[in-house]
Amino acid sequence: MGTTEELALDRARARSHPLRLALLDLLARGPLTATRAAAELGTNSGATSFHLRRLALFGLVEVVAGQPGREKPWRLARQPADALDERDDLRYARWRELRDRYPERWRRQSAAGYTLHLTPDEVDALAASILDLVAPYFDREADAATRPPGAAPVALTTRLFPLAAPEELTP
């Protein structure tokens, strides 16, 4: 791992898998074992163990220390609150500040904000569709030879979250 931005990209990639997203959501409710997570998510413990280890590699989850027994519970890792949101907001503010200094073709932005009425399953499907759209570009980060001439790093921020109050939502 290298720079802060590389680490943030690696963490975003780690979270981009639907099962990993589901595991993070599940762990937000509290610690649990890979076996328990598998039962809750309708998958097998081998898959949950693999994805928990991948999330741990990027500092997103950790094993709860000092627990007796063979199976260890996992929990969300302690991280600075909203670190990725802050990073993305700062990068966007910097670009807007320097926008007039960029070549004309790089002054454009594509920004959109929508309020959609979706079910949790539709949110998951939309997130997976977005990942499918951007996944072909992931290799370009690690391998400069795959980048076409004129390519430059571009931020893409996607946030899908409920706007309704928790008590307004059905489980």
Side-chain angles (χ1 to χ4, degrees):
M1 290 188 218
T3 68
T4 302
E5 286 192 7
E6 288 170 338
L7 179 58
L9 179 61
D10 287 341
R11 284 182 172 171
R13 284 183 183 145
R15 285 193 304 268
S16 66
H17 189 281
L19 182 54
R20 292 179 194 162
L21 287 172
L23 285 166
L24 290 170
D25 288 343
L26 199 56
L27 289 171
R29 299 189 312 216
L32 69 161
T33 65
T35 301
R36 181 71 188 141
E40 296 237 3
L41 298 173
T43 187
N44 65 67
S45 61
T48 55
S49 291
F50 171 80
H51 288 292
L52 285 165
R53 287 191 306 272
R54 294 297 297 168
L55 290 167
L57 180 66
F58 297 106
L60 297 169
V61 301
E62 60 193 10
V63 173
V64 178
Q67 297 294 313
R70 202 175 112 235
E71 279 205 73
K72 302 294 184 196
W74 293 82
R75 68 177 173 208
L76 292 178
R78 290 173 176 75
Q79 298 178 24
D82 301 319
L84 290 175
D85 287 346
E86 291 173 24
R87 182 217 57 190
D88 290 340
D89 291 344
L90 289 170
R91 291 193 312 186
Y92 183 65
R94 181 178 176 274
W95 174 80
R96 287 185 53 92
E97 185 179 300
L98 300 174
R99 185 172 168 172
D100 291 338
R101 294 174 43 196
Y102 279 85
E104 184 67 34
R105 293 186 68 194
W106 287 102
R107 290 182 194 170
R108 296 188 303 257
Q109 66 174 333
S110 177
Y114 306 102
T115 299
L116 307 171
H117 293 262
L118 304 172
T119 67
D121 288 343
E122 290 172 323
V123 171
D124 292 345
L126 180 57
S129 295
I130 293 168
L131 177 60
D132 287 344
L133 287 172
V134 299
Y137 304 102
F138 284 164
D139 289 343
R140 293 181 182 185
E141 178 65 23
D143 185 0
T146 62
R147 299 176 199 157
V154 173
L156 171 66
T157 303
T158 303
R159 297 173 177 149
L160 298 169
F161 57 93
L163 297 175
E167 60 274 6
E168 297 177 70
L169 299 173
T170 56

mmCIF file with all atom_site columns, all heavy atoms in Angstrom, residues 40-65:
data_model
loop_
_atom_site.group_PDB
_atom_site.id
_atom_site.type_symbol
_atom_site.label_atom_id
_atom_site.label_alt_id
_atom_site.label_comp_id
_atom_site.label_asym_id
_atom_site.label_entity_id
_atom_site.label_seq_id
_atom_site.pdbx_PDB_ins_code
_atom_site.Cartn_x
_atom_site.Cartn_y
_atom_site.Cartn_z
_atom_site.occupancy
_atom_site.B_iso_or_equiv
_atom_site.pdbx_formal_charge
_atom_site.auth_seq_id
_atom_site.auth_comp_id
_atom_site.auth_asym_id
_atom_site.auth_atom_id
_atom_site.pdbx_PDB_model_num
ATOM 1   N N   . GLU A 1 40 ? -26.666 -15.703 8.495  1.00 0.00 ? 40 GLU A N   1
ATOM 2   C CA  . GLU A 1 40 ? -27.518 -14.512 8.317  1.00 0.00 ? 40 GLU A CA  1
ATOM 3   C C   . GLU A 1 40 ? -27.629 -14.107 6.851  1.00 0.00 ? 40 GLU A C   1
ATOM 4   O O   . GLU A 1 40 ? -28.655 -13.591 6.429  1.00 0.00 ? 40 GLU A O   1
ATOM 5   C CB  . GLU A 1 40 ? -26.963 -13.347 9.140  1.00 0.00 ? 40 GLU A CB  1
ATOM 6   C CG  . GLU A 1 40 ? -26.987 -13.615 10.621 1.00 0.00 ? 40 GLU A CG  1
ATOM 7   C CD  . GLU A 1 40 ? -27.754 -12.584 11.400 1.00 0.00 ? 40 GLU A CD  1
ATOM 8   O OE1 . GLU A 1 40 ? -28.339 -11.666 10.801 1.00 0.00 ? 40 GLU A OE1 1
ATOM 9   O OE2 . GLU A 1 40 ? -27.760 -12.708 12.626 1.00 0.00 ? 40 GLU A OE2 1
ATOM 10  N N   . LEU A 1 41 ? -26.563 -14.326 6.098  1.00 0.00 ? 41 LEU A N   1
ATOM 11  C CA  . LEU A 1 41 ? -26.537 -13.874 4.704  1.00 0.00 ? 41 LEU A CA  1
ATOM 12  C C   . LEU A 1 41 ? -26.882 -14.980 3.708  1.00 0.00 ? 41 LEU A C   1
ATOM 13  O O   . LEU A 1 41 ? -26.916 -14.739 2.502  1.00 0.00 ? 41 LEU A O   1
ATOM 14  C CB  . LEU A 1 41 ? -25.160 -13.284 4.373  1.00 0.00 ? 41 LEU A CB  1
ATOM 15  C CG  . LEU A 1 41 ? -24.772 -12.044 5.189  1.00 0.00 ? 41 LEU A CG  1
ATOM 16  C CD1 . LEU A 1 41 ? -23.330 -11.636 4.899  1.00 0.00 ? 41 LEU A CD1 1
ATOM 17  C CD2 . LEU A 1 41 ? -25.729 -10.894 4.910  1.00 0.00 ? 41 LEU A CD2 1
ATOM 18  N N   . GLY A 1 42 ? -27.101 -16.187 4.205  1.00 0.00 ? 42 GLY A N   1
ATOM 19  C CA  . GLY A 1 42 ? -27.470 -17.279 3.317  1.00 0.00 ? 42 GLY A CA  1
ATOM 20  C C   . GLY A 1 42 ? -26.346 -17.724 2.414  1.00 0.00 ? 42 GLY A C   1
ATOM 21  O O   . GLY A 1 42 ? -26.575 -18.106 1.263  1.00 0.00 ? 42 GLY A O   1
ATOM 22  N N   . THR A 1 43 ? -25.120 -17.694 2.919  1.00 0.00 ? 43 THR A N   1
ATOM 23  C CA  . THR A 1 43 ? -23.968 -18.152 2.146  1.00 0.00 ? 43 THR A CA  1
ATOM 24  C C   . THR A 1 43 ? -23.196 -19.148 2.999  1.00 0.00 ? 43 THR A C   1
ATOM 25  O O   . THR A 1 43 ? -23.680 -19.577 4.037  1.00 0.00 ? 43 THR A O   1
ATOM 26  C CB  . THR A 1 43 ? -23.102 -16.948 1.702  1.00 0.00 ? 43 THR A CB  1
ATOM 27  O OG1 . THR A 1 43 ? -22.081 -17.400 0.829  1.00 0.00 ? 43 THR A OG1 1
ATOM 28  C CG2 . THR A 1 43 ? -22.504 -16.202 2.867  1.00 0.00 ? 43 THR A CG2 1
ATOM 29  N N   . ASN A 1 44 ? -21.987 -19.510 2.597  1.00 0.00 ? 44 ASN A N   1
ATOM 30  C CA  . ASN A 1 44 ? -21.212 -20.467 3.393  1.00 0.00 ? 44 ASN A CA  1
ATOM 31  C C   . ASN A 1 44 ? -20.110 -19.747 4.169  1.00 0.00 ? 44 ASN A C   1
ATOM 32  O O   . ASN A 1 44 ? -19.684 -18.655 3.797  1.00 0.00 ? 44 ASN A O   1
ATOM 33  C CB  . ASN A 1 44 ? -20.655 -21.593 2.515  1.00 0.00 ? 44 ASN A CB  1
ATOM 34  C CG  . ASN A 1 44 ? -19.643 -21.088 1.509  1.00 0.00 ? 44 ASN A CG  1
ATOM 35  O OD1 . ASN A 1 44 ? -18.571 -20.640 1.864  1.00 0.00 ? 44 ASN A OD1 1
ATOM 36  N ND2 . ASN A 1 44 ? -20.001 -21.168 0.227  1.00 0.00 ? 44 ASN A ND2 1
ATOM 37  N N   . SER A 1 45 ? -19.652 -20.394 5.236  1.00 0.00 ? 45 SER A N   1
ATOM 38  C CA  . SER A 1 45 ? -18.666 -19.746 6.108  1.00 0.00 ? 45 SER A CA  1
ATOM 39  C C   . SER A 1 45 ? -17.314 -19.573 5.417  1.00 0.00 ? 45 SER A C   1
ATOM 40  O O   . SER A 1 45 ? -16.568 -18.660 5.743  1.00 0.00 ? 45 SER A O   1
ATOM 41  C CB  . SER A 1 45 ? -18.504 -20.517 7.418  1.00 0.00 ? 45 SER A CB  1
ATOM 42  O OG  . SER A 1 45 ? -18.051 -21.830 7.166  1.00 0.00 ? 45 SER A OG  1
ATOM 43  N N   . GLY A 1 46 ? -17.007 -20.432 4.440  1.00 0.00 ? 46 GLY A N   1
ATOM 44  C CA  . GLY A 1 46 ? -15.762 -20.258 3.690  1.00 0.00 ? 46 GLY A CA  1
ATOM 45  C C   . GLY A 1 46 ? -15.747 -18.938 2.931  1.00 0.00 ? 46 GLY A C   1
ATOM 46  O O   . GLY A 1 46 ? -14.749 -18.217 2.925  1.00 0.00 ? 46 GLY A O   1
ATOM 47  N N   . ALA A 1 47 ? -16.870 -18.630 2.295  1.00 0.00 ? 47 ALA A N   1
ATOM 48  C CA  . ALA A 1 47 ? -16.973 -17.368 1.546  1.00 0.00 ? 47 ALA A CA  1
ATOM 49  C C   . ALA A 1 47 ? -16.920 -16.175 2.487  1.00 0.00 ? 47 ALA A C   1
ATOM 50  O O   . ALA A 1 47 ? -16.211 -15.190 2.218  1.00 0.00 ? 47 ALA A O   1
ATOM 51  C CB  . ALA A 1 47 ? -18.259 -17.336 0.725  1.00 0.00 ? 47 ALA A CB  1
ATOM 52  N N   . THR A 1 48 ? -17.652 -16.256 3.605  1.00 0.00 ? 48 THR A N   1
ATOM 53  C CA  . THR A 1 48 ? -17.632 -15.117 4.525  1.00 0.00 ? 48 THR A CA  1
ATOM 54  C C   . THR A 1 48 ? -16.255 -14.957 5.136  1.00 0.00 ? 48 THR A C   1
ATOM 55  O O   . THR A 1 48 ? -15.776 -13.831 5.284  1.00 0.00 ? 48 THR A O   1
ATOM 56  C CB  . THR A 1 48 ? -18.716 -15.235 5.619  1.00 0.00 ? 48 THR A CB  1
ATOM 57  O OG1 . THR A 1 48 ? -18.569 -16.472 6.294  1.00 0.00 ? 48 THR A OG1 1
ATOM 58  C CG2 . THR A 1 48 ? -20.105 -15.105 5.046  1.00 0.00 ? 48 THR A CG2 1
ATOM 59  N N   . SER A 1 49 ? -15.584 -16.067 5.482  1.00 0.00 ? 49 SER A N   1
ATOM 60  C CA  . SER A 1 49 ? -14.226 -15.975 6.034  1.00 0.00 ? 49 SER A CA  1
ATOM 61  C C   . SER A 1 49 ? -13.281 -15.307 5.044  1.00 0.00 ? 49 SER A C   1
ATOM 62  O O   . SER A 1 49 ? -12.492 -14.427 5.412  1.00 0.00 ? 49 SER A O   1
ATOM 63  C CB  . SER A 1 49 ? -13.688 -17.371 6.385  1.00 0.00 ? 49 SER A CB  1
ATOM 64  O OG  . SER A 1 49 ? -14.377 -17.910 7.459  1.00 0.00 ? 49 SER A OG  1
ATOM 65  N N   . PHE A 1 50 ? -13.354 -15.732 3.781  1.00 0.00 ? 50 PHE A N   1
ATOM 66  C CA  . PHE A 1 50 ? -12.494 -15.141 2.750  1.00 0.00 ? 50 PHE A CA  1
ATOM 67  C C   . PHE A 1 50 ? -12.717 -13.629 2.657  1.00 0.00 ? 50 PHE A C   1
ATOM 68  O O   . PHE A 1 50 ? -11.767 -12.840 2.677  1.00 0.00 ? 50 PHE A O   1
ATOM 69  C CB  . PHE A 1 50 ? -12.758 -15.804 1.389  1.00 0.00 ? 50 PHE A CB  1
ATOM 70  C CG  . PHE A 1 50 ? -12.073 -15.099 0.253  1.00 0.00 ? 50 PHE A CG  1
ATOM 71  C CD1 . PHE A 1 50 ? -10.732 -15.311 -0.009 1.00 0.00 ? 50 PHE A CD1 1
ATOM 72  C CD2 . PHE A 1 50 ? -12.773 -14.197 -0.547 1.00 0.00 ? 50 PHE A CD2 1
ATOM 73  C CE1 . PHE A 1 50 ? -10.092 -14.646 -1.048 1.00 0.00 ? 50 PHE A CE1 1
ATOM 74  C CE2 . PHE A 1 50 ? -12.149 -13.526 -1.588 1.00 0.00 ? 50 PHE A CE2 1
ATOM 75  C CZ  . PHE A 1 50 ? -10.795 -13.755 -1.838 1.00 0.00 ? 50 PHE A CZ  1
ATOM 76  N N   . HIS A 1 51 ? -13.977 -13.226 2.563  1.00 0.00 ? 51 HIS A N   1
ATOM 77  C CA  . HIS A 1 51 ? -14.264 -11.804 2.382  1.00 0.00 ? 51 HIS A CA  1
ATOM 78  C C   . HIS A 1 51 ? -13.974 -11.000 3.648  1.00 0.00 ? 51 HIS A C   1
ATOM 79  O O   . HIS A 1 51 ? -13.558 -9.837  3.557  1.00 0.00 ? 51 HIS A O   1
ATOM 80  C CB  . HIS A 1 51 ? -15.700 -11.619 1.894  1.00 0.00 ? 51 HIS A CB  1
ATOM 81  C CG  . HIS A 1 51 ? -15.871 -12.047 0.474  1.00 0.00 ? 51 HIS A CG  1
ATOM 82  N ND1 . HIS A 1 51 ? -15.296 -11.385 -0.592 1.00 0.00 ? 51 HIS A ND1 1
ATOM 83  C CD2 . HIS A 1 51 ? -16.526 -13.101 -0.072 1.00 0.00 ? 51 HIS A CD2 1
ATOM 84  C CE1 . HIS A 1 51 ? -15.589 -11.989 -1.720 1.00 0.00 ? 51 HIS A CE1 1
ATOM 85  N NE2 . HIS A 1 51 ? -16.340 -13.044 -1.436 1.00 0.00 ? 51 HIS A NE2 1
ATOM 86  N N   . LEU A 1 52 ? -14.150 -11.599 4.814  1.00 0.00 ? 52 LEU A N   1
ATOM 87  C CA  . LEU A 1 52 ? -13.765 -10.905 6.052  1.00 0.00 ? 52 LEU A CA  1
ATOM 88  C C   . LEU A 1 52 ? -12.253 -10.681 6.090  1.00 0.00 ? 52 LEU A C   1
ATOM 89  O O   . LEU A 1 52 ? -11.788 -9.605  6.485  1.00 0.00 ? 52 LEU A O   1
ATOM 90  C CB  . LEU A 1 52 ? -14.227 -11.689 7.282  1.00 0.00 ? 52 LEU A CB  1
ATOM 91  C CG  . LEU A 1 52 ? -15.720 -11.603 7.574  1.00 0.00 ? 52 LEU A CG  1
ATOM 92  C CD1 . LEU A 1 52 ? -16.134 -12.692 8.566  1.00 0.00 ? 52 LEU A CD1 1
ATOM 93  C CD2 . LEU A 1 52 ? -16.104 -10.220 8.087  1.00 0.00 ? 52 LEU A CD2 1
ATOM 94  N N   . ARG A 1 53 ? -11.489 -11.669 5.660  1.00 0.00 ? 53 ARG A N   1
ATOM 95  C CA  . ARG A 1 53 ? -10.023 -11.493 5.621  1.00 0.00 ? 53 ARG A CA  1
ATOM 96  C C   . ARG A 1 53 ? -9.621  -10.413 4.631  1.00 0.00 ? 53 ARG A C   1
ATOM 97  O O   . ARG A 1 53 ? -8.694  -9.639  4.875  1.00 0.00 ? 53 ARG A O   1
ATOM 98  C CB  . ARG A 1 53 ? -9.340  -12.821 5.283  1.00 0.00 ? 53 ARG A CB  1
ATOM 99  C CG  . ARG A 1 53 ? -9.375  -13.823 6.429  1.00 0.00 ? 53 ARG A CG  1
ATOM 100 C CD  . ARG A 1 53 ? -8.457  -15.028 6.178  1.00 0.00 ? 53 ARG A CD  1
ATOM 101 N NE  . ARG A 1 53 ? -8.701  -15.700 4.915  1.00 0.00 ? 53 ARG A NE  1
ATOM 102 C CZ  . ARG A 1 53 ? -9.587  -16.676 4.733  1.00 0.00 ? 53 ARG A CZ  1
ATOM 103 N NH1 . ARG A 1 53 ? -10.331 -17.102 5.734  1.00 0.00 ? 53 ARG A NH1 1
ATOM 104 N NH2 . ARG A 1 53 ? -9.725  -17.236 3.540  1.00 0.00 ? 53 ARG A NH2 1
ATOM 105 N N   . ARG A 1 54 ? -10.323 -10.333 3.495  1.00 0.00 ? 54 ARG A N   1
ATOM 106 C CA  . ARG A 1 54 ? -10.022 -9.270  2.513  1.00 0.00 ? 54 ARG A CA  1
ATOM 107 C C   . ARG A 1 54 ? -10.337 -7.893  3.110  1.00 0.00 ? 54 ARG A C   1
ATOM 108 O O   . ARG A 1 54 ? -9.578  -6.952  2.954  1.00 0.00 ? 54 ARG A O   1
ATOM 109 C CB  . ARG A 1 54 ? -10.817 -9.465  1.219  1.00 0.00 ? 54 ARG A CB  1
ATOM 110 C CG  . ARG A 1 54 ? -10.445 -10.701 0.434  1.00 0.00 ? 54 ARG A CG  1
ATOM 111 C CD  . ARG A 1 54 ? -9.027  -10.709 -0.058 1.00 0.00 ? 54 ARG A CD  1
ATOM 112 N NE  . ARG A 1 54 ? -8.789  -9.627  -0.994 1.00 0.00 ? 54 ARG A NE  1
ATOM 113 C CZ  . ARG A 1 54 ? -7.590  -9.254  -1.421 1.00 0.00 ? 54 ARG A CZ  1
ATOM 114 N NH1 . ARG A 1 54 ? -6.526  -9.882  -1.022 1.00 0.00 ? 54 ARG A NH1 1
ATOM 115 N NH2 . ARG A 1 54 ? -7.451  -8.267  -2.272 1.00 0.00 ? 54 ARG A NH2 1
ATOM 116 N N   . LEU A 1 55 ? -11.474 -7.798  3.789  1.00 0.00 ? 55 LEU A N   1
ATOM 117 C CA  . LEU A 1 55 ? -11.826 -6.526  4.438  1.00 0.00 ? 55 LEU A CA  1
ATOM 118 C C   . LEU A 1 55 ? -10.807 -6.172  5.512  1.00 0.00 ? 55 LEU A C   1
ATOM 119 O O   . LEU A 1 55 ? -10.459 -4.999  5.694  1.00 0.00 ? 55 LEU A O   1
ATOM 120 C CB  . LEU A 1 55 ? -13.241 -6.606  5.018  1.00 0.00 ? 55 LEU A CB  1
ATOM 121 C CG  . LEU A 1 55 ? -14.375 -6.657  3.998  1.00 0.00 ? 55 LEU A CG  1
ATOM 122 C CD1 . LEU A 1 55 ? -15.682 -7.044  4.677  1.00 0.00 ? 55 LEU A CD1 1
ATOM 123 C CD2 . LEU A 1 55 ? -14.512 -5.322  3.269  1.00 0.00 ? 55 LEU A CD2 1
ATOM 124 N N   . ALA A 1 56 ? -10.307 -7.178  6.229  1.00 0.00 ? 56 ALA A N   1
ATOM 125 C CA  . ALA A 1 56 ? -9.304  -6.935  7.273  1.00 0.00 ? 56 ALA A CA  1
ATOM 126 C C   . ALA A 1 56 ? -7.989  -6.455  6.668  1.00 0.00 ? 56 ALA A C   1
ATOM 127 O O   . ALA A 1 56 ? -7.301  -5.602  7.238  1.00 0.00 ? 56 ALA A O   1
ATOM 128 C CB  . ALA A 1 56 ? -9.086  -8.199  8.092  1.00 0.00 ? 56 ALA A CB  1
ATOM 129 N N   . LEU A 1 57 ? -7.643  -6.992  5.496  1.00 0.00 ? 57 LEU A N   1
ATOM 130 C CA  . LEU A 1 57 ? -6.413  -6.601  4.821  1.00 0.00 ? 57 LEU A CA  1
ATOM 131 C C   . LEU A 1 57 ? -6.365  -5.087  4.593  1.00 0.00 ? 57 LEU A C   1
ATOM 132 O O   . LEU A 1 57 ? -5.307  -4.472  4.646  1.00 0.00 ? 57 LEU A O   1
ATOM 133 C CB  . LEU A 1 57 ? -6.307  -7.348  3.490  1.00 0.00 ? 57 LEU A CB  1
ATOM 134 C CG  . LEU A 1 57 ? -5.083  -7.083  2.624  1.00 0.00 ? 57 LEU A CG  1
ATOM 135 C CD1 . LEU A 1 57 ? -3.827  -7.586  3.316  1.00 0.00 ? 57 LEU A CD1 1
ATOM 136 C CD2 . LEU A 1 57 ? -5.248  -7.772  1.280  1.00 0.00 ? 57 LEU A CD2 1
ATOM 137 N N   . PHE A 1 58 ? -7.525  -4.488  4.369  1.00 0.00 ? 58 PHE A N   1
ATOM 138 C CA  . PHE A 1 58 ? -7.591  -3.050  4.109  1.00 0.00 ? 58 PHE A CA  1
ATOM 139 C C   . PHE A 1 58 ? -8.041  -2.261  5.333  1.00 0.00 ? 58 PHE A C   1
ATOM 140 O O   . PHE A 1 58 ? -8.426  -1.100  5.224  1.00 0.00 ? 58 PHE A O   1
ATOM 141 C CB  . PHE A 1 58 ? -8.491  -2.782  2.904  1.00 0.00 ? 58 PHE A CB  1
ATOM 142 C CG  . PHE A 1 58 ? -7.935  -3.400  1.656  1.00 0.00 ? 58 PHE A CG  1
ATOM 143 C CD1 . PHE A 1 58 ? -8.508  -4.531  1.113  1.00 0.00 ? 58 PHE A CD1 1
ATOM 144 C CD2 . PHE A 1 58 ? -6.801  -2.878  1.062  1.00 0.00 ? 58 PHE A CD2 1
ATOM 145 C CE1 . PHE A 1 58 ? -7.977  -5.132  -0.015 1.00 0.00 ? 58 PHE A CE1 1
ATOM 146 C CE2 . PHE A 1 58 ? -6.256  -3.473  -0.067 1.00 0.00 ? 58 PHE A CE2 1
ATOM 147 C CZ  . PHE A 1 58 ? -6.843  -4.597  -0.602 1.00 0.00 ? 58 PHE A CZ  1
ATOM 148 N N   . GLY A 1 59 ? -8.001  -2.913  6.502  1.00 0.00 ? 59 GLY A N   1
ATOM 149 C CA  . GLY A 1 59 ? -8.262  -2.207  7.748  1.00 0.00 ? 59 GLY A CA  1
ATOM 150 C C   . GLY A 1 59 ? -9.707  -1.866  8.004  1.00 0.00 ? 59 GLY A C   1
ATOM 151 O O   . GLY A 1 59 ? -9.997  -0.977  8.806  1.00 0.00 ? 59 GLY A O   1
ATOM 152 N N   . LEU A 1 60 ? -10.626 -2.554  7.340  1.00 0.00 ? 60 LEU A N   1
ATOM 153 C CA  . LEU A 1 60 ? -12.040 -2.239  7.509  1.00 0.00 ? 60 LEU A CA  1
ATOM 154 C C   . LEU A 1 60 ? -12.701 -3.048  8.619  1.00 0.00 ? 60 LEU A C   1
ATOM 155 O O   . LEU A 1 60 ? -13.664 -2.600  9.223  1.00 0.00 ? 60 LEU A O   1
ATOM 156 C CB  . LEU A 1 60 ? -12.779 -2.441  6.185  1.00 0.00 ? 60 LEU A CB  1
ATOM 157 C CG  . LEU A 1 60 ? -12.317 -1.517  5.059  1.00 0.00 ? 60 LEU A CG  1
ATOM 158 C CD1 . LEU A 1 60 ? -12.896 -1.960  3.730  1.00 0.00 ? 60 LEU A CD1 1
ATOM 159 C CD2 . LEU A 1 60 ? -12.703 -0.086  5.352  1.00 0.00 ? 60 LEU A CD2 1
ATOM 160 N N   . VAL A 1 61 ? -12.198 -4.257  8.862  1.00 0.00 ? 61 VAL A N   1
ATOM 161 C CA  . VAL A 1 61 ? -12.715 -5.097  9.945  1.00 0.00 ? 61 VAL A CA  1
ATOM 162 C C   . VAL A 1 61 ? -11.525 -5.675  10.697 1.00 0.00 ? 61 VAL A C   1
ATOM 163 O O   . VAL A 1 61 ? -10.382 -5.663  10.207 1.00 0.00 ? 61 VAL A O   1
ATOM 164 C CB  . VAL A 1 61 ? -13.635 -6.237  9.433  1.00 0.00 ? 61 VAL A CB  1
ATOM 165 C CG1 . VAL A 1 61 ? -14.822 -5.681  8.668  1.00 0.00 ? 61 VAL A CG1 1
ATOM 166 C CG2 . VAL A 1 61 ? -12.873 -7.242  8.597  1.00 0.00 ? 61 VAL A CG2 1
ATOM 167 N N   . GLU A 1 62 ? -11.808 -6.205  11.886 1.00 0.00 ? 62 GLU A N   1
ATOM 168 C CA  . GLU A 1 62 ? -10.752 -6.814  12.683 1.00 0.00 ? 62 GLU A CA  1
ATOM 169 C C   . GLU A 1 62 ? -11.351 -7.912  13.554 1.00 0.00 ? 62 GLU A C   1
ATOM 170 O O   . GLU A 1 62 ? -12.548 -7.908  13.835 1.00 0.00 ? 62 GLU A O   1
ATOM 171 C CB  . GLU A 1 62 ? -10.072 -5.766  13.565 1.00 0.00 ? 62 GLU A CB  1
ATOM 172 C CG  . GLU A 1 62 ? -11.012 -5.085  14.548 1.00 0.00 ? 62 GLU A CG  1
ATOM 173 C CD  . GLU A 1 62 ? -10.420 -3.853  15.195 1.00 0.00 ? 62 GLU A CD  1
ATOM 174 O OE1 . GLU A 1 62 ? -9.348  -3.387  14.771 1.00 0.00 ? 62 GLU A OE1 1
ATOM 175 O OE2 . GLU A 1 62 ? -11.057 -3.332  16.130 1.00 0.00 ? 62 GLU A OE2 1
ATOM 176 N N   . VAL A 1 63 ? -10.495 -8.851  13.958 1.00 0.00 ? 63 VAL A N   1
ATOM 177 C CA  . VAL A 1 63 ? -10.913 -9.912  14.866 1.00 0.00 ? 63 VAL A CA  1
ATOM 178 C C   . VAL A 1 63 ? -10.990 -9.319  16.259 1.00 0.00 ? 63 VAL A C   1
ATOM 179 O O   . VAL A 1 63 ? -10.137 -8.519  16.664 1.00 0.00 ? 63 VAL A O   1
ATOM 180 C CB  . VAL A 1 63 ? -9.908  -11.082 14.832 1.00 0.00 ? 63 VAL A CB  1
ATOM 181 C CG1 . VAL A 1 63 ? -10.230 -12.122 15.899 1.00 0.00 ? 63 VAL A CG1 1
ATOM 182 C CG2 . VAL A 1 63 ? -9.894  -11.732 13.451 1.00 0.00 ? 63 VAL A CG2 1
ATOM 183 N N   . VAL A 1 64 ? -12.036 -9.692  17.001 1.00 0.00 ? 64 VAL A N   1
ATOM 184 C CA  . VAL A 1 64 ? -12.171 -9.249  18.386 1.00 0.00 ? 64 VAL A CA  1
ATOM 185 C C   . VAL A 1 64 ? -11.152 -10.039 19.204 1.00 0.00 ? 64 VAL A C   1
ATOM 186 O O   . VAL A 1 64 ? -11.208 -11.266 19.262 1.00 0.00 ? 64 VAL A O   1
ATOM 187 C CB  . VAL A 1 64 ? -13.607 -9.486  18.912 1.00 0.00 ? 64 VAL A CB  1
ATOM 188 C CG1 . VAL A 1 64 ? -13.710 -9.072  20.369 1.00 0.00 ? 64 VAL A CG1 1
ATOM 189 C CG2 . VAL A 1 64 ? -14.612 -8.728  18.055 1.00 0.00 ? 64 VAL A CG2 1
ATOM 190 N N   . ALA A 1 65 ? -10.218 -9.345  19.812 1.00 0.00 ? 65 ALA A N   1
ATOM 191 C CA  . ALA A 1 65 ? -9.142  -9.993  20.568 1.00 0.00 ? 65 ALA A CA  1
ATOM 192 C C   . ALA A 1 65 ? -9.654  -10.534 21.898 1.00 0.00 ? 65 ALA A C   1
ATOM 193 O O   . ALA A 1 65 ? -10.617 -10.026 22.472 1.00 0.00 ? 65 ALA A O   1
ATOM 194 C CB  . ALA A 1 65 ? -8.021  -8.990  20.819 1.00 0.00 ? 65 ALA A CB  1
#
